[in-house]
Amino acid sequence: MNMTMLTKWDPLNELEGLSNRLNHFFAQPDQAASKSDTDWYATAEWAPRVDIAESDHNYTIEAELPRVDKDKIQVQLDDGVLTISGEREFKNEDKSKTYHRVERSYGRFVRSFNLPDDVDNDQVKAEFKEGILTVVVQKAESKKPRQIDIQVK
């Protein structure tokens, strides 16, 4: 008598396995080896999601940064490029727990955005509230064309 065991197929398990294999394939090399400023931008480990909006007077960039300390966030505007960078640390203070899965991203991040030429580099405000970083960049006053009178000689 031939007994064949049937196994129920679960497509979500297949997707999870594929995801794990892809993550392993594209995994970045050990980040701890280099800590120089130039490597900071080259080795970002995750990227926060952002919303970018424009109004008549400004541009607003909102970045989701839950569980990131305000002191670990930097905002810089240099030559028309707005850069948001920082770090979210994994805090495993409870030694009585054994983590079986950690899916949230931790480590350094960098997001850079090329802004249009009409921004006022001196009018930038940043606010961090409830895990959302809001950066508002004012538009520069538009220069209106000037009528030039023609002199008759």
Side-chain angles (χ1 to χ4, degrees):
M1 184 160 123
N2 186 6
M3 292 190 99
T4 305
M5 297 291 291
L6 294 178
T7 303
K8 185 176 181 182
W9 179 64
D10 184 358
L12 293 179
N13 276 343
E14 295 294 322
L15 286 174
E16 182 178 13
L18 176 63
S19 174
N20 289 338
R21 288 191 302 273
L22 286 172
N23 286 339
H24 179 70
F25 179 74
F26 290 110
Q28 295 178 352
D30 184 17
Q31 305 293 330
S34 70
K35 296 280 187 187
S36 73
D37 287 342
T38 56
D39 290 335
W40 174 268
Y41 294 98
T43 60
E45 296 172 9
W46 67 283
R49 300 287 185 205
V50 298
D51 292 336
I52 301 174
E54 177 183 2
S55 71
D56 290 339
H57 304 290
N58 59 46
Y59 298 96
T60 303
I61 296 95
E62 293 182 324
E64 291 182 343
L65 299 171
R67 292 189 161 196
V68 177
D69 295 330
K70 177 189 168 286
D71 298 337
K72 299 283 185 177
I73 302 170
Q74 297 83 38
V75 177
Q76 182 177 0
L77 180 59
D78 185 29
D79 200 24
V81 178
L82 178 74
T83 302
I84 301 169
S85 60
E87 184 173 6
R88 178 164 54 200
E89 296 177 346
F90 179 70
K91 296 178 182 171
N92 185 6
E93 297 167 354
D94 189 354
K95 302 294 182 192
S96 66
K97 292 181 183 177
T98 301
Y99 286 88
H100 295 283
R101 181 180 293 218
V102 176
E103 293 187 346
R104 291 179 287 178
S105 299
Y106 295 92
R108 295 181 294 234
F109 64 87
V110 177
R111 294 294 309 264
S112 293
F113 308 95
N114 291 320
L115 297 178
D117 292 335
D118 65 345
V119 299
D120 185 346
N121 288 337
D122 297 326
Q123 296 295 321
V124 181
K125 295 180 183 171
E127 176 183 84
F128 188 61
K129 183 179 179 183
E130 297 178 0
I132 303 292
L133 173 68
T134 303
V135 180
V136 177
V137 182
Q138 295 293 323
K139 291 182 178 180
E141 291 285 327
S142 61
K143 295 180 182 176
K144 297 179 181 176
R146 183 172 64 109
Q147 183 67 34
I148 300 172
D149 293 330
I150 301 173
Q151 300 289 327
V152 178
K153 291 188 177 187

